[in-house]
Amino acid sequence: MSTNHSKKPSKSDRTRGQILDAARDLFAEHGYDGASIRDVGTRASIDPAMVIRYFRSKDELFARAALVDLQLPALRVIDPATVGETLIRRFLEVWEGPASGPGMAILLRSAASNEFAAEKMREIFANQVRPVVAAVGDLADAGRRAGLISSQLLGLAMCRYVLRLPAVVALSHDEIIRNVGPALQRYATGEDTA
């Protein structure tokens, strides 16, 4: 009979984790350009050379720290009348749910001023958002519809989580769902967006 022993993380794994935690915090607070390898090393209480040893470059560290999997629902299998509501609920889970991490905030804060971060956002759009939207509505129109959905959600994220506009921060989840859901529904299905 075999026994299940949980393996303790190695010193190398712990160091890598410390670096990633520090990088996530700093990139979320200051964006890509505002956080240096030296800052990350200081926050992680290790020599900055160790940061490079583990991650080779600031770009690689950023890519790992800002890893985002939206886990969008398969829209083709839900009630077509609830697509907009489903998308806005998932958005709120990604940004505010118990499993939410700083990845999206890191990317959003950094994408406006850093081409590497902007490219990461475009990859999320191309690989995660567009294919989900393509499953509903006209396939030839999927890019445009996904772009409209992304513009709505990224604008909401910028106002609520980065700029922290008081009126937007004060909105309850129900208010957001009630107001943004119908717009996402129109965008996703292609109704009245031509």
Side-chain angles (χ1 to χ4, degrees), residues 83-191:
V83 167
E85 180 182 335
T86 300
L87 287 171
I88 192 61
R89 285 185 187 281
R90 180 63 192 142
F91 167 86
L92 291 168
E93 288 171 11
V94 166
W95 284 90
E96 298 179 21
S100 70
M104 285 299 294
I106 292 168
L107 283 176
L108 188 58
R109 185 176 299 279
S110 301
S113 62
N114 179 272
E115 182 54 31
F116 184 79
E119 181 56 32
K120 288 290 177 196
M121 288 294 275
R122 287 190 289 271
E123 287 173 15
I124 291 170
F125 174 80
N127 299 327
Q128 296 184 47
V129 178
R130 189 183 183 288
V132 167
V133 173
V136 295
D138 181 7
L139 182 60
D141 196 28
R144 185 179 67 81
R145 291 181 295 114
L148 289 168
I149 289 169
S150 295
S151 70
Q152 180 77 47
L153 294 178
L154 290 174
L156 176 59
M158 179 64 82
C159 292
R160 187 169 172 94
Y161 308 111
V162 176
L163 299 175
R164 293 186 175 93
L165 297 179
V168 180
V169 171
L171 293 170
S172 70
H173 283 199
D174 287 341
E175 289 174 301
I176 293 170
I177 291 165
R178 190 171 54 252
N179 287 284
V180 178
L184 297 181
Q185 180 73 26
R186 285 191 310 276
Y187 295 154
T189 61
E191 300 166 12

Side-chain angles (χ1 to χ4, degrees), residues 18-97:
Q18 282 176 259
I19 294 168
L20 276 173
D21 288 345
R24 285 183 185 113
D25 290 346
L26 288 166
F27 287 138
E29 290 169 22
H30 306 290
Y32 179 91
D33 292 327
S36 69
I37 292 293
R38 182 175 305 284
D39 295 335
V40 172
T42 300
R43 177 78 58 101
S45 301
I46 64 168
D47 187 294
M50 292 296 286
V51 175
I52 296 300
R53 177 175 171 236
Y54 279 91
F55 293 96
R56 295 193 298 265
S57 70
K58 184 177 174 181
D59 285 350
E60 183 177 328
L61 177 60
F62 181 84
R64 295 284 304 280
L67 192 60
V68 172
D69 181 359
L70 298 176
Q71 298 179 353
L72 294 173
L75 299 181
R76 69 183 173 285
V77 299
I78 65 168
D79 177 354
T82 65
V83 167
E85 180 182 335
T86 300
L87 287 171
I88 192 61
R89 285 185 187 281
R90 180 63 192 142
F91 167 86
L92 291 168
E93 288 171 11
V94 166
W95 284 90
E96 298 179 21

